[in-house]
Amino acid sequence: MELLLVEVHLAESYRNLHQVLTPSDTLSRPEMAELYRQLFKPFGVSPERFLASYAYYERQHPVVMDSLYSGVTRRLNERLTEQYR
């Protein structure tokens, strides 16, 4: 889940920086659904499964979610550091 969250955040960042879609686009829009399907394919996860897992951790296990995001932040910072070496 942690690695997938990293990829989701990178994809969202790219989308926001390059205005691939408008800010009002959501996962329910066909364009976003296809973007996420391609993103999730290597992980063997559907967008629906990801959203269900995310909601599960967010609502029922906030401590685990916090731990996941600590790892996500660490990994994103590592990538940023590597990029500017």
Side-chain angles (χ1 to χ4, degrees), residues 20-77:
V20 174
L21 300 169
T22 65
S24 63
D25 287 333
T26 64
L27 184 57
S28 62
R29 289 191 44 121
E31 297 90 349
M32 286 299 291
E34 183 54 31
L35 246 164
Y36 277 105
R37 272 192 213 354
Q38 293 303 316
L39 176 73
F40 296 153
K41 188 181 274 186
F43 294 92
V45 176
S46 70
E48 297 78 16
R49 175 77 186 234
F50 170 76
L51 289 174
S53 292
Y54 190 92
Y56 170 78
Y57 284 110
E58 183 179 47
R59 292 182 187 129
Q60 296 182 20
H61 297 284
V63 173
V64 174
M65 182 64 100
D66 187 54
S67 177
L68 279 170
Y69 268 98
S70 291
V72 168
T73 302
R74 180 184 49 78
R75 288 176 187 273
L76 288 172
N77 284 330

Side-chain angles (χ1 to χ4, degrees), residues 3-13 36 39-40 50:
L3 291 174
L4 182 52
L5 283 169
V6 168
E7 296 303 320
V8 166
H9 283 283
L10 289 172
E12 286 293 314
S13 176
Y36 277 105
L39 176 73
F40 296 153
F50 170 76

Side-chain angles (χ1 to χ4, degrees), residues 10 74-85:
L10 289 172
R74 180 184 49 78
R75 288 176 187 273
L76 288 172
N77 284 330
E78 286 172 359
R79 283 192 180 188
L80 187 62
T81 300
E82 288 175 14
Q83 183 178 6
Y84 289 103
R85 282 188 180 178

